[in-house]
Amino acid sequence: LPVPGVEDLNIAFTELIIVPASAGFIKTFGEKDKYGQHKHAYAVSVLVPSFRSNSTVSGAANEDADDPETPLLVEEAQSYRRHVTDRTLWSGIGYAYKLTPALRLGFSGFYVLRSVKDSEDVATNAMVGESGVDVFQIASNEISLVNGSVVMMGGIKYLPTSKIALGLNFQLPSLQLHSRSSLRFTRGQSIPGCPTSTDCSIEDVFDDGAQSTFEQIALDTAKSHTKYAPALRFGASYTEQSKYILSLDLSYHWPVSYKLIGLGEVSEELRNSLPFTNEVKRERVVNANLGGEFWIIKQVSIAGGVFSDFSSAPDILSIPVTQQLPKIDLLGLTMALSYVAEHSLSRLGFVYSFGAGHDVLPENDLERLMDAEQNYQRVEYVQSFFYVFLSSTFRY
């Protein structure tokens, strides 16, 4: 809410992002079982589960400013700009071994890289009386961080019959490998405005004691963190060859908490001016997926499913006192049309998710940046996402 009154507007963010969301391969090798199938396999994969970017630019002017604390300031103007890019990349390797025709074990390790850039600028200016002289304030935050972690997993797959498959996967808590961050805080103010008394004159604004100020603080030694909680996943499927497949999976994620950036060397005033939640807390959460694929003809199938994406963020109080993560619970629907060739499988489909909840926003971003003093409010928050995907799998 960069400008007073903007909370009365409906704001929609729409962005088209085209990226290869995932890629990988699996290769079998080594000794073979009595059916002529290899007992060993390895895999390499790359996944982009999150890529978020948005910009906010706004401004407002008031030709008849009537602020009792600055009675001589007229023709006030305000501007606000923020740009955020937050992306995560998972790259991993895995190994699996077939103990028996019905039982397989697998292990994998992922290197998780997260990079964030968050820049924010605000400026206000006003003319003092009829003097034609401006007073102004500027403030900006430039924050960038990169951190890398390792996430290890282990799994088991069991085939009690030729039609039923069961799987269990356990994810260990992440271990951080490296991190770096860069923070730049800039604050500037021209000769201060009029004191709060209403009988001051323009001379009071420009008296001998008034001074312009400018401050720039740079911090390149802070550490950044992104922790991933332990997780347990269970999956099951039932297959009627060349007719249909039904599948279900459940996932349980443990709580986790961390500080996105270590701000031990940063003053409390600058901490309060940050535009994001630095104290990250996530509670336990369970999510589920249910889907099916049905063959229309031998080469063509149609698949569909439903899923939940419940938030792990804590509940938000009706009158929050600090910034918090948004609490948005989503439900989703996915469909795909598949074509099976001799050595390839191609899918064209979509994923749609929607939900509602709450978020915490400062009542005024200008005051948060300028004064580092802010009251927070809980606001209703609605989200919807729509993805179109094209995937190809080649088999040799």
Side-chain angles (χ1 to χ4, degrees), residues 114 144-148 176 178-182 220-224:
R114 184 186 182 190
S144 64
L145 63 91
V146 175
N147 55 58
Q176 181 158 305
H178 64 86
S179 74
R180 63 177 175 84
S181 62
S182 174
D220 296 314
T221 58
K223 299 294 184 180
S224 65

Side-chain angles (χ1 to χ4, degrees), residues 246-363:
L246 301 177
S247 63
L248 165 71
D249 74 67
L250 301 172
S251 63
Y252 175 84
H253 299 261
W254 272 264
V256 67
S257 61
Y258 59 92
K259 292 183 179 180
L260 184 60
I261 303 178
L263 298 175
E265 302 178 32
V266 177
S267 67
E268 183 177 358
E269 179 180 353
L270 292 178
R271 293 183 196 182
N272 293 337
S273 72
L274 292 175
F276 53 79
T277 304
N278 196 52
E279 298 279 347
V280 179
K281 294 183 179 179
R282 297 191 178 279
E283 299 178 340
R284 60 180 57 87
V285 65
V286 176
N287 278 297
N289 301 267
L290 176 64
E293 184 172 9
F294 304 88
W295 269 257
I296 302 173
I297 58 176
K298 184 178 180 180
Q299 292 83 16
V300 179
S301 69
I302 185 170
V306 293
F307 61 90
S308 68
D309 187 6
F310 298 134
S311 174
S312 60
D315 293 332
I316 297 176
L317 300 176
S318 58
I319 304 178
V321 295
T322 62
Q323 296 191 83
Q324 291 181 238
L325 296 174
K327 177 75 170 179
I328 314 294
D329 291 325
L330 302 176
L331 295 176
L333 170 69
T334 181
M335 294 193 69
L337 182 67
S338 304
Y339 176 75
V340 182
E342 182 179 2
H343 292 291
S344 66
L345 169 62
S346 300
R347 298 182 188 273
L348 175 63
F350 70 87
V351 180
Y352 175 66
S353 60
F354 57 93
H358 296 93
D359 196 3
V360 175
L361 293 179
E363 291 185 354

Side-chain angles (χ1 to χ4, degrees), residues 373-391:
E373 295 182 359
Q374 187 55 257
N375 293 321
Y376 296 94
Q377 57 183 325
R378 186 178 75 171
V379 297
E380 294 185 356
Y381 195 176
V382 177
Q383 283 186 341
S384 62
F385 299 94
F386 185 78
Y387 303 91
V388 176
F389 65 87
L390 174 64
S391 67

Side-chain angles (χ1 to χ4, degrees), residues 80-84 117-121 141-143 275:
Y80 178 86
R81 178 193 67 85
R82 186 184 179 195
H83 180 74
V84 180
K117 288 188 176 182
D118 194 331
S119 61
E120 184 180 38
D121 300 283
N141 295 328
E142 297 284 341
I143 301 164

